[in-house]
Amino acid sequence: MTKFAMPEEIREGDTHVGRRMLRVEDRSLLRGEGQFVDDVPVKKGTLHAAFLRSPHGHAEIINIDTSRAEEMPGVFAVLTGREVAEQTNPMIVGFENPIDYYGMAVDKVRYVGEPVVAVAAVDRYRAEDALDLIEVTYNVLRAAVDPVEACEPEAPLIHPRADSNCVSKRNFVHGEPDKAFAEADRTTELTIRYPRNSITPMETYAVLSEPNAETGGFDVLSNFQGPFSVHTVMALALRIRTASLRHRSPKNSGGSFGSKLVIFPYIVVLCVLARKARRPVKWIEDRLEHLSASSVAPNRVTRVEAAYGNDGIVTGLRLTHWDDHGAYLRAPMPAPIYRMHGVSTNGYDIRNLAVTNHIVMTNKCPTGAVRGFGGPQLYFAVERMMHKIATELGIDPLELMRRNMVRADQFPYKAIAGALLDSGDYLRTIDETVTEGGLDALKKRRDEARAQGKLYGIGYAACVEPSQSNMGYISTLKTGLERERAGPKDGAVASVTVSVDALGSVNVIGDSVPQGQGHQTALSQIVADQLGLDPEEIVVSLDTDTSKDGWSIAAGNYSCRFAPASASAAHQAAFRVREKMARIAATRLNVPPGDVEFSGGRIHAANNPENAIPFYRVGGLAHWSPSSLPDDVEPGIRETAMWNAPELTPTTANDEINTSLAYGFGFDFCGVEIDRDTGVVRVDHYVSAHDCGTILNPGLAEGQIRGSWASAWGATFIEEFCYDDDGTFRSGSFAEYLVPTATELPDFQIVHPTPHPSPYTRLGAKGIAEGNQYTTPVCVANAVADALGIEDVQLPLKPAKVLRWIGGAEPPPSKGIQTNAPAQRNPSAIEVSGQMEVPAPPQEVWDLLLDPDRMARLIPGCERLVKTGDDRFNGTVMLGVGPVKGRFDVNIELAELDAPRRTTLTGTADGPLGSSRGQGSFVIEDSAAGSTVAYDVSVELSGKVAAVGGRMIKGAARQLIDRFMRALVRQAGGGGQAAPARHRSGFLAWLMRLVGGGR
Amino acid sequence: MKPAPFDYIRPDSVDEAIGVLGEYGDDARVIAGGQSLLPMLNMRLVRPEVLIDISRLDELKQLEKTGSGVRIGAGVTQGALAIWVGLEPDLPLIARALPNVGHFQTRNRGTVCGSICHADPSSELPLCLALLEGEVELRSDRGARRVPASDFQQGVLNTAREADELATNVVFPAASNGAAYAFDEFNHRHGDFAVVAVAARSEGARISLAVGGVADRPEVRHWTGLEGSAIDDALNDLAWELGGNDDIHATAQYRRQLVRHLGRKVIEETAR
Amino acid sequence: MKNLSRDSRHHVTFRLNGVTVEGFSEPRMLLSDFLRHEVGATGTHVGCEHGVCGACTILIDGTASRSCLMLAVQADGAEIDTIEGLANADGSFGILQQAFHENFALQCGFCTPGILMSLSEFLQDNPDPSVDEIKVALSGNVCRCTSYHEIINACIDAAAALRTSKAEAR
């Protein structure tokens, strides 16, 4: 396919906007001279932080012993969650709720990876050494993991002040959904389970915090991305004036995709830690921390019901969402579900809607923004439903979508839940995409493939792409009365400052906090057009400083804010500079200001280009000669635009909300082929079109489409954060949480449809960076549904799952084949059972099991074992396989003792590598050899090893149990060198083979 | 994510290395390429007292054809093997497997011996060693011994190497003229550890198949005179016998399916 | 025999982009940390510290390696090349940098240093690579902003430009 899908230039006249200008940012980045947080030089004496994190999904903290860590040389401060709770206020979210959140665990841990203790030491290595010296005692609790089950009364309650894990439930009725459902020809329903994922930026969280004695607050440098409304949250938590929290971001941020929004709890904790250490403290999140504990998109269960006519017209929609936000809500959560509220009906003209939102707490990593922000979950449900209705009616899904689409003559279109769809021609975009993308040929390809017996399907998906969020939408979560009490919230202010110095150099600063999108380049294009300059002459600085910049609460980089908002603000600021300079120049050119034009570095009379003054001269006049300026013109040239759109109004009394300002349109279709033998879904052909109005720079825009497609492909096929039912986290490394690499990603075709600029943004531009997050997962899912004729398509499309959908029973083994296939009772546990012959009578075996001194010799790696009570033992054991070893504190309790025949054993083992809980039963019977010991052991393992070693832990645990049993045989046999081979008959032989010891 | 402290010893000879290893035993870890060890050190899954760096020992960088096979020193990187002229003629199976071992950047430092000593049940090189019935040469102050592949890898990350022994070489038998070899694996992404990896060798009526990623170490089976559906039956029984585990990447059942599918594929390939 | 105690910092020196640099390192310090925080060469980035993401890839004695999977003390005496050494002598973009620039082959630029260094070695060994070969070569580097398509195009362009420049040099 071609190098660039977008035309080189998409512009009218001689403008820089619309030109594929190469990126300004590359000049430093490609030379290794970028400035990311960790590249910024720090003061001598700056400390480095590390966090001790919870190995459990849900547990009470019984005790924390930090004494040894505090005494360690090089350690300056050790901070517990309890101290943070004493020194800060809980971090607020947008509504009254029963959750006290301090950024660190207090009394309880609620997800694997939750910070429990923070350490500041001279370097990161020593900080991590200190973590090893901290001992935390937990009482493990039952976990709530599934969002629907978590709402049940019998589910373990995660927050003690709440009466349910569902901390917010709201019903919305728009139009007359009940009537629509009662009167419809047909109704249908579908349940969707959308997985947990994120886009894991390459640069992780980074914070540098320093106490500031002058303000009584803190100077912070971090890669926080906004919205800066959260600045208030941090200051309130720290109990300082907002002006005393100086936050700076450096010029580069290594991607975010939403995740760096919820870095702010760490900023608060780092401030407290720095205050305690009385030094600057820096924390660079490592990848394991990022994957387990930074931020993810909420997974969601949605029951979607539709009422529709025999003609395929959808008359009513009911959406019941269970949005899983993990252990805590962090502002602006639970925003994703509300950000999409206004467009709950997507691009369809559906006039009756009921929505029920459950905001659910579970024992998982708390959520945050992820590119697409609530859209993938919503549109997966709506677009799967459209496919289902088409299937039920036996009509083509695309035809069904067309019949229901908002028509061109309906714009601006007020959706039933409140979105004001600004512009577009959805049917035309679809037509153009279908033609250019070759849908007819694709259908033929499907027919041919099917004729050959292949599993081939075609999927479609459309999306309304919202951009620039209304800062008031989260208030939709409140009732009308609560909203009235709190006061109105709406708008979304963007700020850009353009200044011209005495030599005519142009400087631009802004609040867009880019993370690689090329904002410097695009802003230089916009300002250059206004001032008649070359973009190369304009210096754009987008590092931010809350103490110096113009900014408002909406500042930041999220929800496709740049193209509608920052671009408008830049346009407005530059326009004001232009007007001012025109007035100054007009006095020199002796023409009215309205007749002045800017081009080629000159300001000249419109009708006589010879009548001109150099641009820099006007700059010089403004700074060097205030006396020569027209009377009402202020000296200097510096204009700050605080741009807002009046269309962003507050939530109405009946819960209608124009959630965003501009709404682009995306349409995708694809063909997939599924391998019957392996379940691998291969994208055979994929076409994606985006109408985002005015395109500022086709190179940058295409980059956003391609990047979004890549991460959406990841979400569709391989990315998922996995938890066991007990809250154990399984996706703790980049070898477990898989992200796309160059070899997997297929090519796709971008169609550039006729653009429909937004009437509400100054340049007509809309966002484009999120569209494929919405369309791609469900487009592929619809194709899989088409190929397999199934309804329940769950992402990610891991081949093992797809193969199950294809069906067909597994062939049984021949008679007599002993299988090692697991027959799991508890899928999250490691289960080993068996029996073996021990050359000693039952009483001897029994005595051995109850004798701590002899047991200490029996348990591999046991360094100490003492009896702490009746049938209770405590010890220290070096456990591990091969080189992977760690010291564990082990507690064992025997119960149901029936000497010398039977006992059950429960135990825990805790150490830096993880925590495990297990139970087992031992039954001893007489046998010819002496005794037969039958054992049945089940072990659950959580923490680090479970998070990063999932591939191998079962095998490793079997090895350990086997080693123990072999030692038991040796001991019971008189402690001699009982040759293992002697005992490798029967089950033990099988077990030995299982663990690879047998030959 | 930084290693716990350790002393670093860089011996100047294999004898010195063995002496140090004899002194520290299980408290020491040997580092050659470090591509498996460093991630574990960084995660503090492994905390040696001493790290013994053998990566600069020229004695261990020998890569040579001996009478019966190819002898690869512990300092030979996977990347060096990949460009060795004898690879395709003498080790055609390795030539097929090697591009799947990590990525070229990790192969540039990662060693052949290191991968085999690491004993990951999904790794390609231990699988090949098992199928080809190669050997590992171990040396300690107590002497030298050669351990056949079938005895060397004992389970997950677990080998027959004693704590004071240095794996100095691995020996792969060279390809025999009448034999055909094939390799295949399934993974979600190129370069990842295999979900299931298979290697086959056929010579006359004898078929050998090695399977990785299903049991706790590579498992090898030999069949003679199998044809047609009997191959499928044998693979099915093998799949059941090995069982497999559920993890987040695949189910045990899926792994068994891959044994049947990929097993058939490589056996057919060797028959061509 | 070199025996470096865990409790001290030891002198480490190597050539970085042709210039001798030195510093002190504990045995356990990763080369990536040493480069960034002891030598001050922050162009090399750290993305995962377990060898998967490739952001920290540098050239050690001419071959691409993960600097997070190597100790600083192991690099003593080595020849190391990083992104800071890729530009031409006059400071202008080298061929690979220029190709990335023209193809919009980077966005946030965090993974870029590792990708550039990986491709530096790859293009040395593969002057005329196919798209599939490039994909395999790139598979050891994770980029989350682009779709790799842009990077593949840059690699194709860079290969062509390198071939031309070699032909001209002859």
Side-chain angles (χ1 to χ4, degrees):
Chain A
M1 74 186 282
T2 51
K3 273 173 83 164
F4 295 108
M6 291 258 182
E8 174 123 21
E9 296 177 356
I10 307 176
R11 56 179 178 164
E12 284 169 21
D14 196 20
T15 62
H16 293 289
V17 167
R19 181 165 70 86
R20 186 191 290 127
M21 178 180 153
L22 298 184
R23 286 163 33 111
V24 176
E25 292 83 350
D26 296 357
R27 296 171 195 165
S28 57
L29 289 172
L30 280 170
R31 290 184 169 88
E33 293 169 11
Q35 281 262 298
F36 299 87
V37 172
D38 196 31
D39 301 342
V40 177
V42 295
K43 282 185 187 171
K44 280 229 181 272
T46 296
L47 304 175
H48 295 263
F51 289 94
L52 184 70
R53 293 172 181 276
S54 168
H56 301 293
H58 197 194
E60 287 170 336
I61 298 172
I62 305 298
N63 185 50
I64 301 177
D65 181 355
T66 59
S67 53
R68 285 170 67 214
E70 281 167 43
E71 285 159 18
M72 200 190 106
V75 171
F76 279 70
V78 180
L79 184 74
T80 63
R82 168 55 57 200
E83 291 172 81
V84 177
E86 284 161 5
Q87 295 175 39
T88 64
N89 298 324
M91 285 176 243
I92 54 166
V93 293
F95 69 105
E96 284 288 318
N97 66 77
I99 302 165
D100 295 325
Y101 177 57
Y102 296 96
M104 284 179 70
V106 184
D107 300 336
K108 252 171 91 163
V109 290
R110 295 178 171 88
Y111 65 98
V112 171
E114 180 168 10
V116 177
V117 182
V119 169
V122 290
D123 60 40
R124 176 67 180 242
Y125 292 78
R126 272 164 188 74
E128 292 191 19
D129 292 347
L131 299 185
D132 288 343
L133 302 178
I134 298 168
E135 285 172 29
V136 185
T137 316
Y138 295 100
N139 176 31
V140 178
L141 304 170
R142 202 155 59 88
V145 172
D146 178 86
V148 178
E149 289 170 13
C151 296
E152 302 293 329
E154 57 271 21
L157 195 60
I158 296 169
H159 294 280
R161 286 206 290 118
D163 46 16
S164 162
N165 292 323
C166 175
V167 294
S168 164
K169 181 180 177 183
R170 282 278 279 133
N171 294 307
F172 300 95
V173 175
H174 301 286
E176 296 179 287
D178 287 346
K179 185 159 174 271
F181 273 82
E183 292 175 357
D185 294 338
R186 295 164 174 245
T187 62
T188 187
E189 72 166 79
L190 183 66
T191 297
I192 301 298
R193 302 185 80 89
Y194 201 86
R196 271 194 160 220
N197 51 40
S198 77
I199 310 182
T200 61
M202 295 309 295
E203 183 203 28
T204 53
Y205 290 179
V207 181
L208 173 67
S209 174
E210 181 178 3
N212 182 327
E214 206 172 293
T215 64
F218 302 91
D219 290 357
V220 174
L221 177 77
S222 89
N223 48 16
F224 172 63
Q225 66 161 59
F228 280 46
S229 51
V230 163
H231 180 268
T232 314
V233 176
M234 293 189 274
L236 288 175
L238 288 165
R239 302 173 183 161
I240 58 175
R241 290 170 299 172
T242 38
S244 300
L245 180 63
R246 180 179 195 175
H247 183 273
R248 289 175 300 139
S249 55
K251 84 175 172 177
N252 294 112
S253 176
S256 174
F257 318 105
S259 74
K260 287 170 182 169
L261 196 172
V262 282
I263 187 178
F264 73 86
Y266 284 110
I267 295 178
V268 170
V269 170
L270 262 284
C271 286
V272 178
L273 185 63
R275 185 161 59 196
K276 186 168 185 185
R278 296 161 158 268
R279 293 229 192 167
V281 181
K282 178 168 164 176
W283 172 63
I284 305 297
E285 182 190 48
D286 70 34
R287 185 57 64 184
L288 303 194
E289 295 182 287
H290 186 82
L291 291 170
S292 67
S294 61
S295 171
V296 298
N299 54 299
R300 187 184 295 178
V301 176
T302 297
R303 189 170 69 234
V304 49
E305 300 159 79
Y308 63 96
N310 291 327
D311 56 359
I313 301 296
V314 181
T315 54
L317 201 61
R318 275 198 197 115
L319 297 163
T320 310
H321 301 295
W322 288 264
D323 216 22
D324 179 350
H325 286 273
Y328 299 96
L329 286 176
R330 308 179 291 192
M333 296 299 111
I337 204 165
Y338 285 96
R339 184 258 194 157
M340 299 305 289
H341 186 80
V343 287
S344 290
T345 45
N346 198 356
Y348 303 112
D349 185 19
I350 301 172
R351 301 309 298 175
N352 300 292
L353 171 72
V355 179
T356 301
N357 291 340
H358 300 85
I359 305 301
V360 186
M361 300 287 97
T362 59
N363 291 113
K364 290 184 269 188
C365 176
T367 56
V370 172
R371 192 178 202 167
F373 207 48
Q377 297 92 328
L378 172 71
Y379 291 151
F380 196 90
V382 174
E383 294 298 287
R384 282 289 300 121
M385 177 49 89
M386 297 308 274
H387 180 101
K388 185 177 182 200
I389 294 170
T391 308
E392 287 180 2
L393 287 172
I395 64 175
D396 181 67
L398 184 56
E399 173 55 27
L400 183 100
M401 290 162 70
R402 281 188 220 255
R403 282 183 203 172
N404 288 285
M405 284 277 166
V406 173
R407 295 183 319 275
D409 60 7
Q410 290 177 288
F411 290 98
Y413 172 88
K414 185 85 175 170
I416 192 69
L420 184 64
L421 305 183
D422 50 338
S423 61
D425 185 342
Y426 298 168
L427 292 176
R428 180 177 176 187
T429 300
I430 290 175
D431 287 341
E432 289 173 353
T433 312
V434 159
T435 306
E436 210 175 309
L439 179 60
D440 289 343
L442 186 66
K443 285 181 173 170
K444 261 191 215 122
R445 204 172 155 80
R446 173 175 64 182
D447 294 343
E448 285 163 14
R450 286 182 174 175
Q452 292 166 24
K454 290 179 178 165
L455 297 170
Y456 199 105
I458 291 178
Y460 309 91
C463 74
V464 167
E465 292 191 52
S467 51
Q468 196 188 356
S469 290
N470 183 340
M471 295 308 282
Y473 71 69
I474 188 69
S475 300
T476 313
L477 176 146
K478 301 179 184 179
T479 61
L481 205 67
E482 288 168 333
R483 280 199 295 270
E484 216 166 280
R485 268 208 310 269
K489 288 200 171 69
D490 57 82
V493 179
S495 167
V496 169
T497 300
V498 177
S499 50
V500 181
D501 68 19
L503 280 177
S505 266
V506 180
N507 218 309
V508 178
I509 63 173
D511 67 358
S512 71
V513 198
Q515 302 127 354
Q517 294 88 347
H519 292 178
Q520 283 172 269
T521 307
L523 291 182
S524 72
Q525 290 175 276
I526 293 166
V527 174
D529 277 347
Q530 287 300 305
L531 302 183
L533 300 173
D534 193 299
E536 303 285 332
E537 297 174 73
I538 291 164
V539 175
V540 182
S541 305
L542 296 178
D543 49 326
T544 65
D545 182 339
T546 54
S547 292
K548 292 183 144 187
D549 297 341
W551 61 275
S552 179
I553 53 146
N557 192 18
Y558 56 92
S559 296
C560 284
R561 174 175 177 267
F562 179 79
S566 302
S568 291
H571 186 270
Q572 188 169 30
F575 180 76
R576 285 187 193 155
V577 166
R578 179 193 169 101
E579 282 198 314
K580 180 170 185 172
M581 292 181 78
R583 291 187 60 201
I584 299 169
T587 61
R588 300 277 149 168
L589 304 176
N590 292 317
V591 295
D595 288 353
V596 167
E597 285 185 357
F598 291 60
S599 72
R602 295 158 75 248
I603 304 174
H604 58 83
N607 54 6
N608 178 14
E610 300 298 310
N611 182 15
I613 178 171
F615 183 86
Y616 70 85
R617 285 284 300 159
V618 178
L621 284 171
H623 290 279
W624 282 108
S625 181
S627 70
S628 68
L629 303 181
D631 286 346
D632 54 345
V633 172
E634 272 181 23
I637 303 174
R638 181 181 175 92
E639 294 292 334
T640 297
M642 300 295 278
W643 186 80
N644 186 48
E647 292 79 11
L648 293 176
T649 50
T651 310
T652 65
N654 54 348
D655 298 323
E656 287 166 21
I657 175 70
N658 186 22
T659 29
S660 302
L661 176 63
Y663 299 89
F665 181 70
F667 173 69
D668 291 11
F669 66 89
C670 72
V672 305
E673 188 182 330
I674 304 173
D675 187 315
R676 283 180 194 278
D677 291 320
T678 60
V680 170
V681 178
R682 184 179 63 84
V683 173
D684 183 44
H685 186 64
Y686 196 102
V687 182
S688 186
H690 301 266
D691 173 5
C692 65
T694 306
I695 287 181
L696 302 173
N697 176 327
L700 300 180
E702 184 168 340
Q704 289 305 309
I705 296 173
R706 290 192 181 281
S708 178
W709 147 259
S711 48
W713 186 94
T716 307
F717 285 94
I718 52 177
E719 293 187 43
E720 183 178 19
F721 289 106
C722 298
Y723 288 84
D724 290 348
D725 291 344
D726 64 353
T728 298
F729 179 59
R730 293 288 183 194
S731 310
S733 79
F734 261 165
E736 309 298 320
Y737 187 82
L738 305 182
V739 303
T741 67
T743 37
E744 296 82 52
L745 275 178
D747 261 347
F748 74 114
Q749 180 182 349
I750 296 173
V751 170
H752 175 58
T754 306
H756 296 83
S758 174
Y760 306 146
T761 66
R762 282 183 76 102
L763 289 147
K766 311 180 185 187
I768 196 170
E770 298 179 38
N772 285 92
Q773 309 306 126
Y774 309 136
T775 48
T776 300
V778 66
C779 186
V780 173
N782 279 338
V784 169
D786 182 47
L788 301 181
I790 59 168
E791 189 171 282
D792 186 14
V793 181
Q794 287 183 29
L795 304 185
L797 297 169
K798 291 202 173 171
K801 203 191 292 179
V802 177
L803 196 63
R804 224 168 36 230
W805 298 335
I806 293 172
E810 184 175 17
S814 311
K815 233 176 146 188
I817 294 288
Q818 252 190 336
T819 178
N820 289 330
Q824 292 277 16
R825 288 157 296 182
N826 174 358
S828 58
I830 302 151
E831 292 170 347
V832 182
S833 61
Q835 57 180 354
M836 61 172 192
E837 298 296 313
V838 181
Q843 187 64 46
E844 217 172 285
V845 175
W846 180 261
D847 292 343
L848 174 58
L849 281 173
L850 265 69
D851 178 350
D853 292 337
R854 292 174 70 200
M855 275 292 275
R857 292 198 295 273
L858 202 83
I859 299 170
C862 185
E863 296 172 353
R864 181 184 67 86
L865 189 70
V866 292
K867 198 163 179 175
T868 53
D870 282 347
D871 311 321
R872 284 168 188 265
F873 304 87
N874 170 265
T876 306
V877 182
M878 196 70 163
L879 277 176
V881 291
V884 180
K885 277 188 299 223
R887 195 159 274 122
F888 286 80
D889 181 51
V890 175
N891 282 294
I892 300 169
E893 187 177 348
L894 302 176
E896 297 170 32
L897 273 75
D898 176 12
R901 294 294 172 205
R902 188 188 152 74
T903 180
T904 62
L905 176 154
T906 55
T908 60
D910 298 283
L913 291 186
S915 282
S916 86
R917 285 160 294 149
Q919 56 266 326
S921 68
F922 287 83
V923 177
I924 308 167
E925 280 171 2
D926 293 304
S927 76
S931 316
T932 303
V933 180
Y935 58 94
D936 187 350
V937 182
S938 170
V939 181
E940 286 183 57
L941 184 65
S942 67
K944 192 191 280 179
V945 168
V948 304
R951 269 185 324 117
M952 288 190 260
I953 50 174
K954 287 183 182 166
R958 283 195 293 262
Q959 243 179 73
L960 288 174
I961 292 167
D962 172 58
R963 245 186 260 162
F964 172 79
M965 297 311 281
R966 272 197 282 177
L968 181 68
V969 171
R970 249 198 330 266
Q971 277 277 322
Q977 286 284 319
R982 243 171 60 203
H983 310 288
R984 282 191 189 179
S985 56
F987 181 79
L988 187 59
W990 178 86
L991 183 72
M992 296 291 287
R993 195 187 62 242
L994 187 82
V995 301
R999 295 180 271 285
Chain B
M1 218 181 137
K2 310 288 182 190
F6 48 74
D7 295 333
Y8 172 86
I9 295 178
R10 191 159 68 220
D12 295 325
S13 68
V14 172
D15 286 343
E16 266 186 17
I18 287 165
V20 178
L21 197 51
E23 188 181 333
Y24 290 99
D26 207 27
D27 290 337
R29 293 306 300 173
V30 172
I31 181 169
Q35 302 299 287
S36 303
L37 182 59
L38 258 296
M40 297 194 299
L41 286 175
N42 291 356
M43 293 183 194
R44 299 197 177 203
L45 296 171
V46 178
R47 296 158 180 258
E49 296 293 317
V50 179
L51 211 58
I52 303 171
D53 185 354
I54 59 165
S55 66
R56 296 193 185 188
L57 295 178
D58 287 337
E59 296 168 74
L60 295 175
K61 290 186 178 162
Q62 311 280 327
L63 169 48
E64 59 189 0
K65 193 162 177 195
T66 63
S68 58
V70 177
R71 191 157 174 265
I72 301 172
V76 175
T77 63
Q78 296 148 13
L81 179 61
I83 55 169
W84 180 55
V85 288
L87 182 66
E88 184 59 46
D90 290 325
L91 300 174
L93 178 67
I94 312 272
R96 279 155 193 70
L98 211 45
N100 298 286
V101 181
H103 303 280
F104 81 89
Q105 301 94 332
T106 59
R107 295 194 294 271
N108 278 342
R109 286 196 72 76
T111 61
V112 176
C113 277
S115 175
I116 284 161
C117 290
H118 180 56
D120 185 303
S122 301
S123 275
E124 292 85 0
L125 291 172
L127 179 81
C128 294
L129 191 74
L131 182 84
L132 300 177
E133 299 176 344
E135 291 179 326
V136 179
E137 294 181 9
L138 299 168
R139 266 182 63 190
S140 69
D141 281 338
R142 297 175 290 122
R145 61 178 180 139
R146 292 163 74 107
V147 181
S150 57
D151 290 348
F152 185 71
Q153 188 165 350
Q154 301 190 332
V156 170
L157 307 183
N158 192 14
T159 70
R161 187 185 73 85
E162 297 292 341
D164 62 345
E165 286 181 311
L166 178 71
T168 53
N169 294 278
V170 289
V171 180
F172 287 98
S176 60
N177 273 336
Y181 301 85
F183 175 90
D184 205 347
E185 71 175 41
F186 178 86
N187 48 24
H188 296 288
R189 302 180 306 179
H190 177 80
D192 282 355
F193 280 104
V195 173
V196 171
V198 292
R201 177 184 190 278
S202 292
E203 188 163 19
R206 185 178 153 94
I207 298 169
S208 303
L209 182 77
V211 177
V214 186
D216 291 338
R217 64 170 196 164
E219 291 287 343
V220 186
R221 295 294 181 274
H222 308 281
W223 297 293
T224 305
L226 275 192
E227 275 182 1
S229 67
I231 295 177
D232 292 327
D233 293 342
L235 286 169
N236 184 42
D237 286 348
L238 174 59
W240 279 104
E241 194 191 325
L242 300 179
N245 290 322
D246 292 333
D247 64 23
I248 63 170
H249 303 298
T251 57
Q253 182 178 345
Y254 189 69
R255 290 189 160 87
R256 294 194 292 273
Q257 169 61 13
L258 288 177
V259 172
R260 290 184 279 262
H261 175 69
L262 295 178
R264 176 94 212 179
K265 222 170 133 189
V266 288
I267 288 170
E268 279 176 0
E269 200 182 319
T270 58
R272 272 203 294 274
Chain C
M1 183 157 63
K2 199 152 203 161
N3 192 335
L4 308 180
S5 151
R6 74 185 68 188
D7 298 323
S8 338
R9 283 152 52 87
H10 308 275
H11 186 250
V12 172
T13 180
F14 49 75
R15 282 172 69 80
L16 176 64
N17 301 316
V19 177
T20 300
V21 295
E22 58 185 341
F24 288 86
S25 168
E26 291 182 340
R28 61 169 160 170
M29 180 179 260
L30 302 178
L31 178 56
S32 46
D33 284 340
F34 185 82
L35 269 175
R36 290 178 48 78
H37 301 306
E38 297 296 316
V39 177
T42 55
T44 299
H45 299 151
V46 174
C48 78
E49 292 182 304
H50 52 285
V52 183
C53 83
C56 68
T57 305
I58 60 175
L59 298 188
I60 298 169
D61 296 328
T63 63
S65 305
R66 314 294 203 209
S67 60
C68 76
L69 297 189
M70 193 166 165
L71 304 170
V73 293
Q74 288 185 291
D76 194 36
E79 284 281 343
I80 291 179
D81 293 286
T82 64
I83 184 172
E84 287 98 334
L86 283 181
N88 297 324
D90 65 357
S92 62
F93 278 156
I95 284 173
L96 196 52
Q97 291 164 312
Q98 185 64 27
F100 268 62
H101 183 49
E102 288 173 6
N103 283 281
F104 290 80
L106 67 156
Q107 288 183 28
C108 81
F110 197 83
C111 69
T112 311
I115 294 182
L116 291 175
M117 299 323 288
S118 292
L119 290 181
S120 296
E121 184 196 337
F122 174 71
L123 288 175
Q124 286 277 323
D125 302 340
N126 301 272
D128 193 7
S130 69
V131 168
D132 282 345
E133 285 166 344
I134 295 171
K135 284 185 175 179
V136 169
L138 279 175
S139 67
N141 289 89
V142 172
C143 170
R144 302 248 53 192
C145 294
T146 74
S147 71
Y148 302 104
H149 173 87
E150 307 88 320
I151 300 170
I152 294 163
N153 283 333
C155 187
I156 292 168
D157 283 2
L162 281 168
R163 287 195 303 274
T164 309
S165 91
K166 266 186 197 148
E168 280 168 2
R170 249 183 247 127

